[in-house]
Amino acid sequence: MIYLDNAATTKMSQKAIETYVKATNEYFANPSSLHEQGEKAKLLLEKCREELANLLRAEKNEIYFTSGGSESNIRVLESLFLANRHKGNHVITTAMEHPSVHSFFKGLEKKGIEVTYVDINNEGQVTIEELKKCIRPTTFLASIQHVNSEIGTIQSMKKIGTLLKENDIVFHSDCVQSFGKLPIDVHEWNIDAVSISSHKIHGPKGVGAVFLSSSVLWEPIDPFTSHEGGFRQGTVNTPGIAAFTAAAMDICSQQRKHLDHIWDLRNTLINELAPIRQLLLIEGGKDKSNQLPHIIGMGLHGIEGQYMLLTLDRFGICISTGSACQSDKQDPSVVMKALHRSSQEAKRFFRISMGIYNTEEEIKEAAKRMIQCFQEKEGYSHGRKT
């Protein structure tokens, strides 16, 4: 198997697996319990909180654990909305956000809140000029992702954060695709809240976290909640959190090395696809400053993305046609819509997302099979015409 769907989920690292097993055996008590074993589990939990805070340049008391990226997005946005809705009736996001973020904002529209979806440029970026046009005196909340999950575009977080802070707008960012792959500095970027997830960085599924600045107002969604400082109900998943933290510390410690490796793989893929390069449309940023190399969103003229996915799957190569959270729907990619691509271009779209365990040989094999898929399709089409 050649796994090129790492933006959907990743294989657990050995370090994360070992940490999970150890924590399950030795720290299984409820961290809220008052006995010695409960205190032991609590100490581990708080150490994990501290370590994740350090990776985000945050404080320990600003980290709250959740069940994953989607819950992190929805819960933190709702908490911020409840506490700040007295400031106005207008919020900002983009049409490229994760489905969980879109779900929250569509819910606000039903409540009578005005939502502006910022226009993006051809590379999938929010420009400061466009964002300025969207800000009103009644704007009080904005959510703009750091890295897009379908085409890998990186947003200019520091510029966006500075502008929003100048206008007293609470700023949340979905950093699920960027955490562990790119440096994140919540204070330098003037971000009030961040969502991250474990299973995107070789940790277990069902675990995530939120950074929520101590300087921003937020309100608990569920009354009488005592867990996680009132942010979330339910006994925390201590083994999962420990494994998440281990995976995060491991991947962040080798971030530069991993980034160089993935850029090499990306360049290899593009070079190997040279025979059909003129027929490829590769979406996203045009230089390293605004493109995460891990994610390649593309379309091949004459080939539907679904056909490419199924063909490569026959050879044991795993790719996707967009966000895994929307895979059961037949609608075009939300990113293709946001980029105003034609219906044909949207149908052609597929995503290759590479990870730290992928090799150059795997990438060359994938490129070979992609070219073969195109040639077979072309041959079949020409055969039918004759």
Side-chain angles (χ1 to χ4, degrees):
M1 178 189 73
I2 299 176
Y3 187 74
L4 297 174
D5 196 19
N6 288 275
T9 195
T10 59
K11 175 184 177 182
M12 276 184 74
S13 68
Q14 190 60 37
K15 185 167 289 187
I17 293 171
E18 291 170 359
T19 302
Y20 187 90
V21 172
K22 181 178 175 64
T24 299
N25 287 327
E26 300 180 22
Y27 298 87
F28 60 85
N30 191 324
S32 298
S33 296
L34 300 179
H35 46 64
E36 184 178 346
Q37 289 303 311
E39 184 62 23
K40 181 180 176 181
K42 183 178 180 181
L43 287 173
L44 174 61
L45 179 67
E46 295 310 311
K47 181 62 177 175
C48 292
R49 201 185 307 277
E50 181 181 358
E51 294 292 353
L52 282 181
N54 290 337
L55 296 177
L56 294 171
R57 307 295 188 268
E59 298 299 323
K60 174 182 172 181
N61 65 337
E62 296 175 318
I63 302 297
Y64 303 86
F65 291 109
T66 68
S67 66
S70 292
E71 188 199 7
S72 292
N73 283 333
I74 294 174
R75 186 166 287 273
V76 74
L77 284 169
E78 184 68 25
S79 297
L80 292 169
F81 170 75
L82 290 173
N84 294 276
R85 59 184 172 180
H86 63 280
K87 296 180 180 179
N89 195 52
H90 179 244
V91 295
I92 294 173
T93 190
T94 80
M96 293 175 61
E97 301 297 316
H98 187 266
S100 59
V101 174
H102 279 166
S103 174
F104 169 77
F105 282 101
K106 292 300 180 183
L108 289 191
E109 288 180 326
K110 292 180 180 179
K111 296 177 182 177
I113 303 297
E114 297 180 68
V115 180
T116 295
Y117 297 87
V118 189
D119 285 336
I120 57 174
N121 63 20
N122 285 333
E123 296 183 16
Q125 282 198 299
V126 173
T127 66
I128 295 302
E129 292 72 24
E130 284 299 321
L131 185 56
K132 282 180 180 178
K133 293 177 186 178
C134 297
I135 295 175
R136 309 175 190 173
T138 55
T139 308
F140 68 95
L141 175 65
S143 181
I144 299 174
Q145 63 191 189
H146 185 195
V147 168
N148 182 261
S149 64
E150 295 189 35
I151 61 174
T153 299
I154 304 170
Q155 302 298 341
S156 302
M157 302 306 285
K158 188 174 181 180
K159 291 180 180 179
I160 292 171
T162 299
L163 175 62
L164 294 174
K165 186 176 180 63
E166 288 172 352
N167 289 272
D168 193 28
I169 298 169
V170 178
F171 179 25
H172 163 262
S173 182
D174 174 358
C175 293
V176 166
Q177 290 294 342
S178 61
F179 179 63
K181 305 178 184 76
L182 297 172
I184 297 174
D185 191 323
V186 294
H187 293 299
E188 183 182 347
W189 295 353
N190 292 305
I191 298 181
D192 298 299
V194 160
S195 303
I196 59 177
S197 178
S198 165
H199 74 105
K200 306 293 187 179
I201 57 165
H202 306 284
K205 295 175 180 62
V207 187
V210 162
F211 155 75
L212 196 47
S213 173
S214 57
S215 64
V216 72
L217 292 174
W218 65 276
E219 191 173 307
I221 297 174
D222 307 304
F224 311 113
T225 299
S226 58
H227 292 90
E228 289 301 287
F231 185 71
R232 181 180 186 266
Q233 291 180 327
T235 303
V236 294
N237 178 2
T238 308
I241 290 168
F244 173 24
T245 305
M249 293 174 66
D250 187 36
I251 199 168
C252 287
S253 70
Q254 304 179 73
Q255 200 169 80
R256 183 71 258 173
K257 173 187 172 184
H258 292 326
L259 200 57
D260 290 342
H261 172 61
I262 302 297
W263 270 115
D264 286 343
L265 295 183
R266 182 187 181 94
N267 291 334
T268 295
L269 179 66
I270 293 172
N271 290 336
E272 291 294 314
L273 291 174
I276 56 172
R277 182 66 183 87
Q278 71 277 12
L279 301 172
L280 278 176
L281 173 61
I282 299 177
E283 304 286 358
K286 298 297 184 283
D287 58 61
K288 288 187 175 184
S289 66
N290 61 1
Q291 179 64 46
L292 186 74
H294 304 61
I295 299 173
I296 309 179
M298 64 174 75
L300 179 57
H301 185 77
I303 304 289
E304 287 195 6
Q306 190 73 8
Y307 181 83
M308 179 64 75
L309 183 154
L310 294 173
T311 299
L312 293 183
D313 193 41
R314 294 205 326 263
F315 297 105
I317 302 171
C318 305
I319 67 167
S320 74
T321 53
S323 171
C325 295
Q326 295 287 88
S327 61
D328 60 339
K329 296 185 178 181
Q330 299 303 311
D331 295 337
S333 153
V334 294
V335 177
M336 292 298 98
K337 286 183 180 179
L339 290 170
H340 305 294
R341 301 294 185 240
S342 68
S343 59
Q344 282 301 315
E345 288 171 327
K347 287 180 180 178
R348 293 174 195 150
F349 181 81
F350 60 94
R351 178 186 72 184
I352 289 175
S353 49
M354 300 171 291
I356 60 175
Y357 298 128
N358 287 126
T359 66
E360 184 177 351
E361 290 71 26
E362 290 179 332
I363 298 304
K364 288 181 177 179
E365 176 65 15
K368 172 186 172 184
R369 296 303 183 182
M370 287 171 63
I371 294 172
Q372 181 179 335
C373 171
F374 173 76
Q375 291 173 338
E376 289 177 353
K377 181 76 171 177
E378 281 291 284
Y380 176 69
S381 297
H382 292 320
R384 287 182 65 184
K385 288 176 183 177
T386 58

